[in-house]
């Protein structure tokens, strides 16, 4: 316990053991959390008054809350007064050349097939002016602007579009929602804002990759996506590359609003550092993601591939408020070594003829624990609501755990709620079959796992899907045999 | 090509193969027959590299090298193919994806460039015709929801795609109706050449009406107790295994 606390300190404190952190111009808040810290953050970001008020209200509420204990995960207590809640994005690169980067990290980049220019950016190496993505980013922005689409950092949106932020921020995930949501609302550093105006079909996949400095938005990220009537957007967040972040605690918020006839497709790949094989270090990923299908005939789908983090606590949820609304949740969660994941979704049916589909594929290896936790709720007014859930678990080895906690609350006689669940193992026969065809052990596990997760991976945008496939194989390396 | 000398194999201390010798050369088709539990499938599995068996004694050389120095995937890439008695299902993995991975692993091992998508599709069409397999089958997941006959045909199709030097077919005929049996046999016959060899493991003579073997061996209680030409299979069918047992018992004076 004492050891773990020390580690936590090492990650949150200024002495990061990988040396990413030393001698770099740092503009950070004093350790700990108080109204002063919040005023400091707000002032640093030159925020308008309404933002400070929002943060302070969240903070006052947060002080009354206790950390939730119900998840099927274990970790030493977090000392919230030991954390640093704000540090300005780095201006200088961490390294001057690739030779200084941890070779193990580079090897993983190689396996994932990440282009060199991108590898440099991800590892934090100085990028040549030619390779810089500024030019890519600006052409991208022009294309969007012509159609009235707003896609920028949250901070930029606060200044340029305060009316939209005021209207929608906290409307789906209020600061009173839960402990981590309150914390995020008080101290969030930055994030993304996307706004698709009425009748516009966003011509590009909105990817945070295109947003400069997206990698440095810090530990308390906040995303807000608003799709007006009859609009469509596919939004991708995250990154397949392993990110060794010095912040141990990540508590993000994602809010999505879909108005009448709008469709939002949100895809994410999460590969934060999971800690070492013995379970030391690693990121705690405590995220609140929720969307609301506000208008009739609107649709939101979540697709997530979760391979990273020491602990994942995440339930991308949907409130199906309008009539004839559709909610989808497709998830692959991989845990290996000592990782713990408690993830799933909530589908709250309020509208008539609302439909939801949940496909969850858990893969556990090593000594990890992987839980699916999901709620399907149909209210009294949600006539003819329909849900189909399928929760599958795949076990590799005999020391890992897979758990399923499905909650169903049916408030309407006309509801149809279906739940299917399976637990399976990769059998020696399957592995030998592959070996006998000349495919080695790693390749065999990769094939089998990808086959198992195919239903979900096929929902990802093409470019993401290919990377995600490789990522699954890499994440499970050395887990069998 | 394959030389087995005094092979002894056990599983958790229980001897299964008790001193088996066999030589297979290029261009030959060998049939290994024997009653249930005589060690036929164990022999196939040991050659392919299944690790749940203990090799207690003896040598198995393939192309002049000891097979025990080679991993199962290396043996496969060097041209050993096992047609499984019970092919497993791999959900979500299409046959074409599976085979493309397998073929490109083999090509990499042989120092060749991987097949492009177009080249692979062309090869698949060609081999589909050769073994008379339904086109739809290759889009489906490996063996998932296949009938017994489809599974066995799929094994033959994979064999055609991988072009092995040594193919071992482990009771590929079991559970097949006569039409499926002919498909399997046609596949094997059309792949037969003077450069490759086939070991057909079977319980029944029936398959050997369609795949004409050069040699027939009777495996009984972990040993080959009698070898002969095609006629042996017919005689065996007529007189049963008891006959060989008796005859060899007398011959060895036991």
């Amino acid at each position: 316990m004492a050891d773990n606390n020390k580690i936590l300190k090492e990650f949150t404190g200024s002495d990061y053991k990988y040396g990413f952190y030393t001698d770099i111009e740092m503009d950070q808040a004093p350790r700990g959390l108080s109204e002063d810290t919040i005023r400091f953050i707000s002032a640093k970001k030159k925020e308008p008054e309404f933002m400070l008020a929002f943060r302070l209200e969240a903070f006052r509420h947060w002080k009354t809350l206790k950390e939730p204990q119900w998840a099927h995960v274990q970790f030493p207590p977090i000392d919230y007064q030991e954390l640093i809640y704000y540090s300005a994005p780095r201006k200088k690169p961490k390294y001057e050349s690739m030779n200084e980067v941890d070779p193990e990290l580079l090897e993983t980049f190689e396996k994932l097939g990440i282009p060199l220019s991108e590898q440099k950016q991800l590892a934090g190496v100085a990028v040549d002016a030619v390779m810089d993505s500024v030019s890519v980013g600006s052409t991208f922005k022009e294309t969007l602007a012509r159609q009235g689409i707003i896609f920028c950092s949250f901070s930029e949106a606060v200044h340029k579009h305060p009316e939209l932020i005021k209207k929608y921020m906290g409307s789906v995930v209020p600061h009173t929602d839960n402990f981590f949501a309150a914390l995020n609302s008080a101290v969030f550093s930055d994030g993304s804002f996307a706004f698709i105006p009425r009748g516009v079909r966003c011509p590009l996949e909105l990817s945070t990759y295109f947003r400069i400095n997206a990698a440095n938005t810090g530990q308390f990220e906040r995303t807000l996506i608003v799709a007006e009537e009859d609009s469509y957007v596919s939004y991708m967040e995250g990154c397949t590359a392993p990110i060794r972040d010095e912040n141990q605690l990540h508590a993000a918020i994602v809010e999505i609003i879909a108005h009448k006839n709008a469709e939002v497709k949100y895809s994410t790949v999460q590969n934060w550092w999971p800690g070492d094989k013995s379970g030391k270090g690693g990121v705690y990923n405590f995220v609140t993601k929720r969307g609301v299908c506000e208008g009739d005939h609107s649709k939101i789908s979540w697709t997530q591939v979760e391979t990273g983090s020491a602990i994942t606590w995440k339930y991308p949820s949907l409130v199906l408020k309008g009539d004839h609304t559709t909610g989808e949740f497709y998830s692959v969660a991989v845990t290996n070594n000592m990782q713990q994941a408690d993830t799933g979704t909530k589908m709250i049916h309020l509208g008539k003829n609302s439909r939801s589909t949940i496909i969850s594929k858990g893969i556990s290896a090593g000594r990890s624990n992987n839980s699916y936790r999901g709620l399907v709720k149909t209210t009294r007014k949600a006539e003819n609501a329909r849900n189909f859930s399928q929760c599958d678990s795949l076990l590799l080895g005999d020391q890992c755990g897979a758990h399923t906690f499905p909650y169903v609350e049916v408030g309407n006689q006309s509801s149809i709620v279906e739940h299917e669940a399976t637990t399976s193992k990769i059998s020696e026969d399957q592995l030998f079959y592959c070996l006998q065809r000349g495919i080695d052990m790693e390749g065999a596990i990769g094939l089998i796992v990808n086959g198992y997760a195919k239903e979900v991976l096929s929902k990802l945008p093409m470019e993401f899907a290919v990377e995600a496939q490789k990522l699954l194989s890499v994440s499970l390396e050395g887990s069998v045999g | 090509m394959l030389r087995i000398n005094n092979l002894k194999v056990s599983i958790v201390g229980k001897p299964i193969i008790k001193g088996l010798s066999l030589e297979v050369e290029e261009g030959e088709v060998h049939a290994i027959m024997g009653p249930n539990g005589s060690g036929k499938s164990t022999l196939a599995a040991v050659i392919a590299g299944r690790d749940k068996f203990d090799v207690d004694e003896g040598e198995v050389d393939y192309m002049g090298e000891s097979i025990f120095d080679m991993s199962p995937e290396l043996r496969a890439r060097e041209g050993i193919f096992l047609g499984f008695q019970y092919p497993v299902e791999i959900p979500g993995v299409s046959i074409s994806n599976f085979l493309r991975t397998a073929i490109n692993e083999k090509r990499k091992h042989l120092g060749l460039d991987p097949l492009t998508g177009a080249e692979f599709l062309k090869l698949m069409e060609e081999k589909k015709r050769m073994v008379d397999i339904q086109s739809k089958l290759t889009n489906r997941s490996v063996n998932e929801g296949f009938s017994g006959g489809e599974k066995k045909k799929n094994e033959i199709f994979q064999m055609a795609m991988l072009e092995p030097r040594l193919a071992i077919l482990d009771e590929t005929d079991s559970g097949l109706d006569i039409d499926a049996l002919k498909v399997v046999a046609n596949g094997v016959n059309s792949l037969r050449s003077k450069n490759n060899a086939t070991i057909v493991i079977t319980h029944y003579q029936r398959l050997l009406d369609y795949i004409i073997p050069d040699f027939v061996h009777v495996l009984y209680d972990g040993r080959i107790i009698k070898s002969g030409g095609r006629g042996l299979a017919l005689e065996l069918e007529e007189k049963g295994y008891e006959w060989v047992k008796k005859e060899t018992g007398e011959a060895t004076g036991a």
Side-chain angles (χ1 to χ4, degrees):
Chain A
M1 210 65 142
D3 257 6
N4 278 333
N5 275 330
K6 201 171 138 244
I7 291 153
L8 191 68
K9 269 187 205 170
E10 273 174 26
F11 276 92
T12 52
S14 55
D15 251 332
Y16 187 54
K17 62 176 167 175
Y18 288 86
F20 282 6
Y21 215 86
T22 45
D23 293 335
I24 288 179
E25 197 184 310
M26 184 62 68
D27 207 352
Q28 66 181 30
R31 206 173 282 276
L33 189 51
S34 65
E35 293 206 2
D36 286 345
T37 321
I38 286 160
R39 285 176 205 283
F40 173 89
I41 294 171
S42 197
K44 269 280 167 199
K45 299 173 76 67
K46 302 189 177 65
E47 288 181 343
E49 187 56 36
F50 82 91
M51 285 299 298
L52 178 63
F54 178 86
R55 289 177 182 276
L56 286 174
E57 196 187 344
F59 174 67
R60 285 168 198 148
H61 181 71
W62 178 76
K63 281 196 294 188
T64 68
L65 300 175
K66 282 208 172 78
E67 202 178 83
Q69 300 290 328
W70 45 263
H72 192 76
V73 295
Q74 285 171 337
F75 56 94
I78 298 170
D79 185 348
Y80 291 91
Q81 293 306 333
E82 271 297 314
L83 303 181
I84 291 166
Y85 290 88
Y86 180 85
S87 36
R90 285 177 216 92
K91 291 193 183 75
K92 279 190 198 166
K94 289 179 229 172
Y95 306 110
E96 286 308 315
S97 86
M98 285 298 261
N99 299 334
E100 298 165 39
V101 180
D102 183 353
E104 202 186 310
L105 188 67
L106 293 182
E107 204 180 297
T108 315
F109 282 157
E110 212 53 56
K111 283 178 182 161
L112 288 167
I114 293 168
L116 186 69
S117 56
E118 234 175 285
Q119 286 189 20
K120 286 186 173 178
Q121 207 174 18
L122 292 163
V125 176
V127 179
D128 300 346
V130 195
M131 280 187 203
D132 203 338
S133 52
V134 171
S135 54
V136 183
S138 48
T139 26
F140 183 76
K141 267 197 164 171
E142 277 169 31
T143 313
L144 296 176
R146 253 180 271 136
Q147 304 213 41
I149 297 167
I150 304 168
F151 182 44
C152 62
S153 75
F154 206 95
S155 308
E156 195 182 325
V158 164
H159 291 285
K160 291 192 180 161
H161 311 281
E163 70 298 342
L164 289 172
I165 295 294
K166 253 191 235 176
K167 183 172 175 189
Y168 291 110
M169 179 180 61
S171 69
V172 186
V173 181
H175 68 264
T176 50
D177 191 79
N178 69 68
F179 183 85
F180 296 111
L183 182 62
N184 175 291
S185 301
V187 301
F188 72 89
S189 24
D190 208 336
S192 310
F193 176 67
F195 178 83
I196 321 299
R198 188 174 180 151
V200 170
R201 192 178 165 89
C202 185
L204 301 161
E205 306 264 2
L206 289 189
S207 164
T208 46
Y209 170 73
F210 286 102
R211 238 196 45 231
I212 313 305
N213 278 335
N216 289 332
T217 43
Q219 60 201 102
F220 300 102
E221 210 172 334
R222 196 161 178 122
T223 302
L224 178 59
I225 303 168
V226 180
E228 284 202 322
E229 281 183 28
D230 300 307
S231 68
Y232 167 84
V233 64
S234 168
Y235 181 94
M236 303 192 291
E237 202 159 60
C239 181
T240 51
I243 296 176
R244 294 206 174 179
D245 195 298
E246 56 268 33
N247 301 310
Q248 192 177 27
L249 175 65
H250 280 250
I253 286 182
V254 176
E255 295 179 284
I256 302 178
I257 296 107
H259 289 291
K260 195 174 165 188
N261 285 326
E263 180 177 347
V264 179
K265 189 176 157 58
Y266 177 102
S267 313
T268 183
V269 172
Q270 183 266 116
N271 190 22
W272 296 106
W273 189 43
D276 67 11
K277 286 192 172 90
S278 62
K280 282 194 180 160
V283 166
Y284 295 174
N285 193 23
F286 301 146
V287 185
T288 308
K289 295 190 175 188
R290 193 174 306 149
V292 55
C293 287
E294 186 76 41
D296 296 350
H297 298 281
S298 58
K299 176 178 176 181
I300 298 178
S301 70
W302 298 107
T303 305
Q304 60 169 16
V305 175
E306 301 281 314
T307 57
S309 296
I311 301 177
T312 300
W313 181 97
K314 176 177 174 183
Y315 316 90
S317 303
L318 289 172
V319 181
L320 303 168
K321 202 164 162 189
D323 294 343
H324 307 280
T325 46
T326 307
E328 293 172 340
F329 174 76
Y330 301 104
S331 167
V332 175
V334 179
T335 53
N336 196 1
N337 298 316
M338 298 294 284
Q339 279 177 277
Q340 306 173 67
D342 194 306
T343 182
T345 185
K346 285 191 276 186
M347 292 289 177
I348 314 293
H349 292 253
L350 303 177
K352 294 186 186 95
N353 298 307
S354 51
R355 267 147 211 272
S356 61
T357 306
I358 298 171
I359 309 282
S360 162
K361 304 266 181 182
I363 300 161
S364 335
R367 291 161 64 197
S368 68
N369 263 304
N370 201 325
S371 305
Y372 168 81
R373 187 184 302 276
L375 168 68
V376 176
K377 182 174 178 171
T378 66
T379 55
R380 201 167 49 82
K381 286 184 180 165
E383 279 167 38
N384 298 315
R386 202 172 176 345
N387 162 267
F388 173 75
S389 302
Q390 187 184 327
C391 304
D392 296 332
S393 307
L394 184 69
L395 301 169
L396 280 76
D398 53 10
Q399 298 198 48
C400 52
H403 317 268
T404 305
F405 304 94
Y407 303 84
V408 176
E409 288 174 32
V410 174
N412 189 306
Q413 293 229 341
S414 60
S415 307
I416 302 176
V417 178
E418 286 175 78
H419 183 96
E420 285 181 13
T422 65
T423 302
S424 52
K425 274 190 165 189
I426 291 188
S427 71
E428 293 208 359
D429 287 344
Q430 283 175 325
L431 291 173
F432 185 67
Y433 194 81
C434 296
L435 294 177
Q436 211 301 304
R437 298 300 186 246
I439 301 164
D440 62 17
M441 191 60 95
E442 271 178 27
I445 293 171
L447 261 183
I448 296 168
V449 165
N450 277 298
Y452 166 79
K454 192 182 183 182
E455 238 179 311
V456 173
L457 297 178
S458 67
K459 302 291 177 191
L460 286 172
M462 196 55 189
E463 51 184 292
F464 242 22
V466 176
E467 284 183 39
Q469 277 180 20
K470 288 186 196 154
L471 179 62
L472 288 190
S473 309
V474 171
S475 305
L476 290 166
E477 249 169 39
S479 57
V480 166
Chain B
M1 178 187 282
L2 181 74
R3 280 166 214 280
I4 305 175
N5 183 30
N6 192 33
L7 179 68
K8 292 183 181 174
V9 177
S10 62
I11 185 162
V12 284
K14 184 175 174 267
I16 297 176
I17 293 176
K18 304 169 181 175
L20 183 149
S21 300
L22 178 69
E23 290 197 12
V24 177
E25 297 300 339
E26 276 93 346
E28 295 176 352
V29 173
H30 290 244
I32 295 178
M33 302 182 70
N36 287 334
S38 55
K40 300 190 298 288
S41 291
T42 303
L43 177 63
V46 167
I47 296 171
R50 188 88 209 226
D51 62 2
K52 67 179 177 186
F53 302 101
D54 297 318
V55 175
D56 304 317
E57 219 182 299
E59 296 100 45
V60 179
D61 290 347
Y62 171 70
M63 305 302 292
E65 277 184 59
S66 172
I67 211 166
F68 302 126
D69 296 336
M70 298 159 81
S71 66
E73 61 270 31
L74 190 59
R75 296 179 203 188
R77 290 171 197 163
E78 282 286 326
I80 295 179
F81 177 90
L82 174 61
F84 285 82
Q85 186 178 1
Y86 304 109
V88 291
E89 299 185 356
I90 309 179
V93 180
S94 69
I95 291 178
S96 45
N97 185 17
F98 179 72
L99 277 175
R100 194 172 168 195
T101 309
I103 285 175
N104 284 337
E105 285 292 340
K106 183 173 177 173
R107 290 181 66 90
K108 193 164 79 187
H109 175 69
L110 300 175
L112 300 167
D113 286 334
L115 289 183
T116 63
E119 287 167 335
F120 177 77
L121 285 176
K122 201 175 146 221
L123 180 70
M124 211 158 62
E125 287 313 312
E126 182 190 315
K127 301 294 182 178
K128 270 182 194 168
R129 276 197 299 276
M130 190 183 238
V131 298
D132 189 28
I133 192 172
Q134 275 189 332
S135 219
K136 285 182 294 185
L137 209 63
T138 47
N139 294 329
R140 287 168 59 184
S141 296
V142 179
N143 295 319
E144 197 182 26
F146 284 25
S147 69
E150 282 174 331
K151 281 184 183 173
K152 297 298 173 72
K153 281 189 212 168
N154 181 25
E155 293 293 293
I156 300 301
F157 174 63
Q158 291 184 39
M159 178 172 104
M161 290 291 286
L162 290 162
E163 299 175 336
R165 201 153 16 185
L166 174 66
I168 305 163
L169 303 178
D170 188 7
E171 306 224 10
T172 302
D173 55 331
S174 64
L176 292 190
D177 61 29
I178 197 76
D179 292 335
L181 193 71
K182 280 183 189 165
V183 170
V184 166
N186 283 341
V188 174
N189 288 330
S190 55
L191 294 167
R192 207 163 164 172
S193 84
K194 61 179 195 300
N195 301 319
N196 60 33
T198 311
I199 298 175
V200 179
I201 293 174
T202 180
H203 195 81
Y204 304 104
Q205 174 339 93
R206 197 176 59 152
L207 180 65
L208 305 181
D209 287 340
Y210 303 98
I211 303 173
I212 312 296
D214 301 303
F215 303 95
V216 174
H217 312 276
V218 179
L219 186 60
Y220 183 80
D221 193 25
R223 289 183 193 90
I224 290 177
I225 55 169
K226 196 172 175 65
S227 295
R230 189 191 168 200
L232 178 57
L234 296 167
E235 211 170 345
L236 204 59
E237 176 89 343
E238 198 180 310
K239 300 179 182 168
Y241 289 111
E242 285 304 308
W243 160 74
V244 202
K245 245 164 52 188
K246 221 176 284 170
E247 201 188 51
T248 52
E250 279 160 20
T252 51

